[in-house]
């Protein structure tokens, strides 16, 4: 069984890597679509989505830890 702290740590590392990939993808996509956004705005947008992703990842992990035991 995974502790809550380890669940949060795993989710944080996963989301941090995802943040970098998403930020680079967002910058490339916005540029390709002709959308001009400052780096500050890119970072703000990326941060908001990263926080949502972190919460989602943690909650899904905890759900499976609670209800997934003994199944499979």
């Amino acid at each position: 069984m995974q502790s809550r702290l380890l669940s949060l740590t795993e989710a944080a590392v996963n989301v941090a890597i995802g943040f970098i990939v998403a930020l680079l993808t967002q910058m490339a996509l916005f540029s390709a679509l002709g959308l001009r956004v400052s780096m500050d705005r890119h970072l703000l947008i990326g941060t908001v989505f990263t926080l949502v992703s972190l919460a989602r990842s943690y909650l899904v992990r905890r759900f499976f830890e609670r209800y997934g035991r003994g199944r499979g």
Side-chain angles (χ1 to χ4, degrees):
M1 178 182 245
Q2 192 177 54
S3 72
R4 284 181 172 83
L5 180 58
L6 190 54
S7 291
L8 181 60
T9 302
E10 178 184 332
V13 169
N14 185 29
V15 171
I17 293 167
F19 174 76
I20 294 166
V21 171
L23 185 63
L24 294 173
T25 303
Q26 175 183 301
M27 291 168 65
L29 182 61
F30 279 27
S31 180
L33 295 174
L35 301 172
R36 303 290 175 236
V37 179
S38 70
M39 183 54 102
D40 288 347
R41 293 292 179 175
H42 275 300
L43 291 172
L44 176 61
I45 293 166
T47 298
V48 169
F49 281 111
T50 296
L51 292 174
V52 170
S53 182
L54 177 59
R56 177 194 44 83
S57 218
Y58 176 75
L59 292 172
V60 168
R61 169 66 63 172
R62 294 316 307 161
F63 176 85
F64 278 95
E65 280 294 320
R66 175 173 288 195
Y67 299 107
R69 281 183 266 149
R71 305 182 204 281

